[in-house]
Amino acid sequence: MANVAKKVSWSGRDRDDEDDDEEEGRAGEATPLLNGTGPGAGGARQFTPSSFLRIGQLSNVDLNEDVRELETELPRQYPNEIPHNEKLLSLKYESLDYDNSENQLFLEEERRINHAAFRTVEIKRWVICAMIGILTGLVACFIDIVVENLAGLKYRVVKDNIDKFTEKGGLSFSLLLWATLNASVVMVGSVIVAFIEPVAAGSGIPQIKCYLNGVKIPHVVRLKTLVIKVCGVILSVVGGLAVGKEGPMIHSGAVIAAGISQGRSTSLKRDFKIFEYFRRDTEKRDFVSAGAAAGVSAAFGAPVGGVLFSLEEGASFWNQFLTWRIFFASMISTFTLNSVLSVYHGNAWDLSSPGLINFGRFDNEKMGYTIQEIPIFIFMGVVGGILGALFNALNYWLTMFRIRYIHRPCLQVIEAMLVAAVTAAVGFVMIYCSRDCQPIQGSTVTYPLQLFCADGEYNSMATAFFNTPEKSVVNLFHDPPGSYNPMTLGMFTLMYFFLACWTYGLTVSAGVFIPSLLIGAAWGRLFGISLSYLTKGSIWADPGKYALMGAAAQLGGIVRMTLSLTVIMMEATGNVTYGFPIMLVLMTAKIVGDYFVEGLYDMHIQLQSVPFLHWEAPVTSHSLTAREVMSTPVTCLRRIERVGTVVDILSDTSSNHNGFPVVESNPDATQVAGLRGLILRSQLIVLLKHKVFVERANLSLVQRRLKLKDFRDAYPRFPPIQSIHVSQDERECMIDLSEFMNPSPYTVPQEASLPRVFKLFRALGLRHLVVVDNRNEVVGMVTRKDLARYRLGKEGLEELSLAQT
């Protein structure tokens, strides 16, 4: 078995400090080493103490009390090279509990709630969705306004400097100024990400996909992550990197949704005593999917596209009422952004800014398409799929190199500064060498650089490089024919392709949507110019139309989205007639790209060894049964268990189990101890914390009756077992689990096939699936990692090795 001693994760550090707002406890469901034949398993596997360095070290942040640090921070040691194999599954990622525990407390509370109370809960859901939309729109406004002002200031300073030194000579100083400004701004953005919150790096879309899939990613929806994300993306875009600010809006919306829906902030230690009913993973998941949709809606002004994005790329579970609430949050987000930006731009009643990027309207006569263009669009989809696959393959090897060698925060910051300086240098050299001069009359260029062009003309290459990527995309879509020389577009496409590929994966907050659109728009416009030349200037061969199709093809080839991206492009262009060609282009790009490599987001999820469950089990896995997949033997608890036994099991550093089957307390060892329920580690810890013990002399005497509120108050950061103090006398007491266990856990017979087990596990959002024999005796446990180990590779069904990190 390939075993990795240490591996860089999305949190960017080797420490397993899972003290984020979503943590239920450091220990998680364990996973068999291979085929469930390890020395221990499932809710029951036994690992060696060296397997987990810091089991149980959860820094508990309670709103009422601070639990002291249990251990000192381990000294960080960074090896020169981290061995890494992409065919690994990490044991460090835990699952979320999307299945409600229907114990007696839960059922009693639900039965007490009348119809009016249920209506109140439903109204609260709509109120939360409205708040998610408003706050996501306001965050998007803040990012857009700050980027516009800071980037404008930078470009004006550099432009004035270039104009000055063009006349006097010494343009090398202008190059130095541009590179220094870029590197300085990016350095600040990279430092706050690398040293304060590494999970804020990138767009955040892979992390949110994992969260909605049921995987617990440390720190992913913390308030601190949101602050670093917003500041980081502003600095990345202002720093001139080949990035966009649209992708991170999805992560930002998800963080806002997770915070609002809980009615408190564990980071700030503030509890507003509202929305307590929603303090469980199931409810939080639904609101996070609404936040992700609101982020898409704010980014592109595409509320329907946001809903479909959340469905296609994110949410694992769906229903009609959830769809309505998500659509409502998306609409509110777009309206908020539109209102605020319209006021900011001085046309308060116009509402002309529905998203952070607006492609402009494609509604003139020349922008229509004819039947003979359909094969041309399909060919563009093929080109987009091939280029997208090339982009992903290059980024894959680059990411592997980064994982192995560039894992120190200081090296990550240096690399980000290097990329920023190189981006500025490449842009300057391209502008300097270009002789593509265009008349300035009627031009919409914001910062026209004259350089060596004649008076009244500007350098066309500067419109692409010397601008924010969003404005460059719109220029390529709408500038009239003849605005760009074919050589300019070709060189720009080539250089920007490699710059964007190098940039994605840096330790900065940034998205890949806009760079992909910009690359595709450039080669699409070049394709349209070539077509117009070949057809001797036919009116239908408008380069702006082909720039749009190229942008769709390139983005589809990189991220492999189909349905949601089609609607996003339609909403962003305001033209429904392009729905069919865009759909064709995206489908073709996905089919062609999937033939070579995976999509960019799925590839990065795989590189982080996340136990991600796809929609279906591997197609060739029917030969496997639950008996072969399950973890065994299983650590079970009796219905009335000794407190000392429970403490010892939870304190055992050689295991990290989160679910324990509860069996009947049979004094007669010859009788079968049948399954009676399932109880979670987090529930046991709350019981121990509140001393819910039964005296030995009188088994009916319970010291204190707990309510569901006690469990919700501890959510999501349940205390570690080491913080629970149990005296020697208390260890001899008994604890009755009947009232707190889930008496009807989902079970499967051991003969069930892997696809059947997978479908049940995935559709119901389970964390533990108990395997029983024909006597209802527990024989094994299936967890997420047991199922995620099996993957369809190039040579058929393969079983991934497990990394102990």
Side-chain angles (χ1 to χ4, degrees):
M1 183 184 78
N3 182 32
V4 172
K6 180 177 171 190
K7 185 169 81 68
V8 172
S9 71
W10 268 323
S11 61
R13 297 166 182 146
D14 58 313
R15 60 187 173 90
D16 286 339
D17 56 340
E18 309 209 355
D19 57 333
D20 69 314
D21 291 354
E22 291 63 60
E23 290 309 312
E24 289 191 4
R26 176 64 190 91
E29 69 272 25
T31 310
L33 298 184
L34 286 176
N35 272 330
T37 56
R45 234 170 255 112
Q46 310 298 325
F47 290 110
T48 60
S50 61
S51 301
F52 293 88
L53 298 178
R54 299 175 66 191
I55 293 298
Q57 185 179 348
L58 171 66
S59 67
N60 172 46
V61 177
D62 198 300
L63 293 172
N64 301 317
E65 57 178 331
D66 291 325
V67 178
R68 60 184 175 81
E69 282 294 326
L70 300 168
E71 295 179 22
T72 58
E73 184 76 21
L74 291 178
R76 285 190 211 167
Q77 295 178 346
Y78 296 101
N80 291 328
E81 177 184 357
I82 292 180
H84 180 61
N85 179 358
E86 64 275 16
K87 293 188 177 180
L88 291 173
L89 201 65
S90 177
L91 291 177
K92 63 173 281 186
Y93 294 108
E94 300 304 337
S95 296
L96 294 161
D97 283 306
Y98 286 165
D99 178 38
N100 287 325
S101 178
E102 293 192 349
N103 54 23
Q104 288 184 28
L105 297 182
F106 178 83
L107 294 176
E108 287 173 9
E109 181 185 83
E110 293 295 310
R111 288 166 185 155
R112 283 197 302 268
I113 299 178
N114 56 25
H115 184 261
F118 273 120
R119 290 285 297 264
T120 304
V121 169
E122 190 63 21
I123 290 171
K124 285 181 180 177
R125 287 196 177 100
W126 286 91
V127 170
I128 292 171
C129 286
M131 294 171 67
I132 290 169
I134 292 170
L135 285 177
T136 304
L138 291 176
V139 167
C141 291
F142 175 77
I143 292 174
D144 189 59
I145 292 170
V146 175
V147 166
E148 182 180 332
N149 284 280
L150 290 182
L153 177 64
K154 184 193 82 171
Y155 286 125
R156 280 194 297 273
V157 169
V158 176
K159 180 184 182 305
D160 292 344
N161 192 272
I162 290 176
D163 291 343
K164 173 183 171 185
F165 282 100
T166 303
E167 300 173 3
K168 297 164 56 175
L171 276 172
S172 55
F173 182 79
S174 300
L175 167 60
L176 189 63
L177 174 68
W178 192 0
T180 304
L181 282 174
N182 274 17
S184 302
V185 173
V186 169
M187 180 188 72
V188 179
S190 183
V191 163
I192 61 175
V193 171
F195 288 95
I196 300 178
E197 196 52 86
V199 80
S203 65
I205 296 175
Q207 291 92 317
I208 296 304
K209 279 187 68 171
C210 291
Y211 183 87
L212 293 174
N213 189 260
V215 182
K216 190 183 296 181
I217 305 295
H219 305 184
V220 73
V221 289
R222 286 183 67 175
L223 176 62
K224 186 167 74 170
T225 304
L226 174 64
V227 174
I228 301 299
K229 194 86 180 182
V230 170
C231 297
V233 73
I234 290 171
L235 294 166
S236 299
V237 176
V238 172
L241 291 174
V243 298
K245 57 182 183 286
E246 282 66 22
M249 276 309 306
I250 297 164
H251 190 181
S252 300
V255 180
I256 290 168
I260 297 257
S261 63
Q262 302 304 292
R264 67 179 181 185
S265 169
T266 47
S267 295
L268 300 177
K269 300 181 183 177
R270 291 292 304 276
D271 191 343
F272 301 101
K273 303 296 183 185
I274 55 173
F275 308 141
E276 294 177 339
Y277 182 80
F278 305 119
R279 291 177 185 175
R280 55 179 186 263
D281 287 336
T282 316
E283 296 286 352
K284 188 190 280 189
R285 174 202 67 208
D286 291 346
F287 289 119
V288 167
S289 59
V296 175
S297 181
F300 296 98
V304 179
V307 175
L308 294 175
F309 173 86
S310 199
L311 171 62
E312 182 181 5
E313 287 293 304
S316 308
F317 319 98
W318 206 258
N319 61 57
Q320 185 179 8
F321 295 113
L322 179 62
T323 308
W324 265 111
R325 290 198 298 272
I326 291 178
F327 183 59
F328 178 67
S330 297
M331 276 292 188
I332 294 291
S333 175
T334 297
F335 180 76
T336 303
L337 178 81
N338 206 340
S339 303
V340 175
L341 286 186
S342 296
V343 171
Y344 174 74
H345 291 134
N347 43 358
W349 306 106
D350 193 16
L351 297 181
S352 56
S353 303
L356 293 183
I357 180 170
N358 185 9
F359 294 157
R361 297 193 66 83
F362 289 78
D363 53 4
N364 58 43
E365 294 180 3
K366 291 190 295 182
M367 299 302 280
Y369 67 94
T370 56
I371 193 72
Q372 64 263 30
E373 291 181 86
I374 299 296
I376 299 174
F377 294 149
I378 294 175
F379 174 74
M380 293 183 75
V382 172
V383 174
I386 294 172
L387 289 177
L390 176 63
F391 184 99
N392 292 357
L394 291 174
N395 191 262
Y396 172 87
W397 293 112
L398 182 60
T399 305
M400 287 288 286
F401 178 82
R402 283 177 174 139
I403 288 175
R404 285 175 174 152
Y405 298 103
I406 311 177
H407 43 80
R408 293 183 178 88
C410 54
L411 291 178
Q412 293 168 343
V413 173
I414 291 171
E415 186 197 15
M417 292 174 64
L418 176 64
V419 174
V422 169
T423 303
V426 168
F428 185 87
V429 171
M430 297 277 286
I431 294 169
Y432 183 84
C433 296
S434 173
R435 293 295 179 268
D436 184 9
C437 298
Q438 301 293 337
I440 207 166
Q441 284 84 11
S443 171
T444 57
V445 182
T446 314
Y447 310 105
L449 278 179
Q450 183 178 356
L451 217 59
F452 301 118
C453 294
D455 289 341
E457 293 184 337
Y458 69 95
N459 189 304
S460 183
M461 180 70 84
T463 61
F465 267 114
F466 200 70
N467 219 331
T468 56
E470 289 85 356
K471 289 193 172 117
S472 299
V473 170
V474 176
N475 288 339
L476 286 168
F477 284 166
H478 293 290
D479 281 350
S483 298
Y484 298 91
N485 188 299
M487 180 62 73
T488 299
L489 292 172
M491 291 301 296
F492 173 79
T493 302
L494 182 66
M495 299 310 299
Y496 207 81
F497 181 90
F498 290 108
L499 286 173
C501 186
W502 189 13
T503 304
Y504 189 79
L506 289 177
T507 313
V508 294
S509 299
V512 76
F513 269 74
I514 298 303
S516 304
L517 290 172
L518 185 51
I519 295 165
W523 68 255
R525 191 175 181 99
L526 177 61
F527 186 86
I529 292 172
S530 306
L531 202 62
S532 178
Y533 177 76
L534 291 173
T535 57
K536 308 217 181 318
S538 293
I539 190 170
W540 52 266
D542 187 89
K545 172 173 58 180
Y546 288 97
L548 176 66
M549 296 303 159
Q554 185 66 51
L555 183 54
I558 290 175
V559 301
R560 309 290 160 74
M561 288 158 43
T562 50
L563 176 65
S564 57
L565 194 52
T566 302
V567 176
I568 287 170
M569 297 291 283
M570 285 168 52
E571 288 184 282
T573 55
N575 195 323
V576 180
T577 57
Y578 281 153
F580 182 69
I582 289 175
M583 182 188 71
L584 274 182
V585 164
L586 290 173
M587 285 179 60
T588 309
K590 177 176 170 56
I591 292 168
V592 173
D594 283 342
Y595 180 79
F596 297 103
V597 292
E598 288 183 301
L600 190 65
Y601 299 143
D602 291 329
M603 188 183 75
H604 277 262
I605 289 172
Q606 182 182 322
L607 279 171
Q608 296 298 335
S609 304
V610 178
F612 188 88
L613 296 181
H614 294 280
W615 288 105
E616 298 287 343
V619 291
T620 58
S621 60
H622 279 85
S623 59
L624 293 171
T625 62
R627 185 192 292 109
E628 297 166 277
V629 174
M630 70 185 184
S631 310
T632 185
V634 180
T635 300
C636 296
L637 296 172
R638 293 176 298 174
R639 192 171 56 81
I640 299 178
E641 187 62 88
R642 196 172 70 89
V643 171
T645 304
V646 174
V647 172
D648 291 341
I649 290 175
L650 296 182
S651 303
D652 184 5
T653 56
S654 65
S655 66
N656 71 328
H657 318 314
N658 262 312
F660 300 91
V662 179
V663 297
E664 191 53 71
S665 310
N666 281 331
D668 186 359
T670 61
Q671 294 185 12
V672 175
L675 176 67
R676 292 294 175 264
L678 182 77
I679 193 159
L680 302 177
R681 168 180 287 265
S682 56
Q683 295 172 318
L684 290 171
I685 284 178
V686 173
L687 296 183
L688 293 174
K689 181 181 178 181
H690 290 281
K691 313 287 185 187
V692 185
F693 306 149
V694 180
E695 298 290 349
R696 284 170 294 168
N698 182 2
L699 294 182
S700 64
L701 175 63
V702 179
Q703 289 189 353
R704 183 185 169 207
R705 178 173 173 79
L706 286 187
K707 298 181 180 179
L708 269 184
K709 183 180 184 303
D710 296 301
F711 294 91
R712 287 174 181 152
D713 285 343
Y715 176 86
R717 298 187 188 179
F718 292 97
I721 185 62
Q722 287 86 347
S723 69
I724 308 296
H725 304 291
V726 179
S727 67
Q728 194 59 41
D729 288 341
E730 289 173 333
R731 286 179 63 88
E732 299 304 319
C733 292
M734 306 299 285
I735 185 168
D736 190 349
L737 306 178
S738 306
E739 191 178 7
F740 310 102
M741 69 182 186
N742 182 0
S744 55
Y746 291 101
T747 62
V748 290
Q750 52 189 342
E751 291 78 22
S753 67
L754 174 59
R756 190 171 186 82
V757 172
F758 188 99
K759 198 171 293 183
L760 182 65
F761 197 96
R762 180 76 164 80
L764 297 174
L766 302 182
R767 187 175 188 178
H768 308 95
L769 184 58
V770 184
V771 183
V772 296
D773 60 12
N774 52 8
R775 297 185 299 174
N776 197 37
E777 186 177 358
V778 179
V779 294
M781 180 86 85
V782 176
T783 63
R784 169 176 291 273
K785 300 182 188 77
D786 298 324
L787 298 175
R789 284 184 300 129
Y790 297 96
R791 190 178 69 189
L792 195 61
K794 292 183 178 177
E795 300 176 0
L797 191 66
E798 62 184 14
E799 186 177 350
L800 304 184
S801 302
L802 300 180
Q804 307 281 10
T805 53

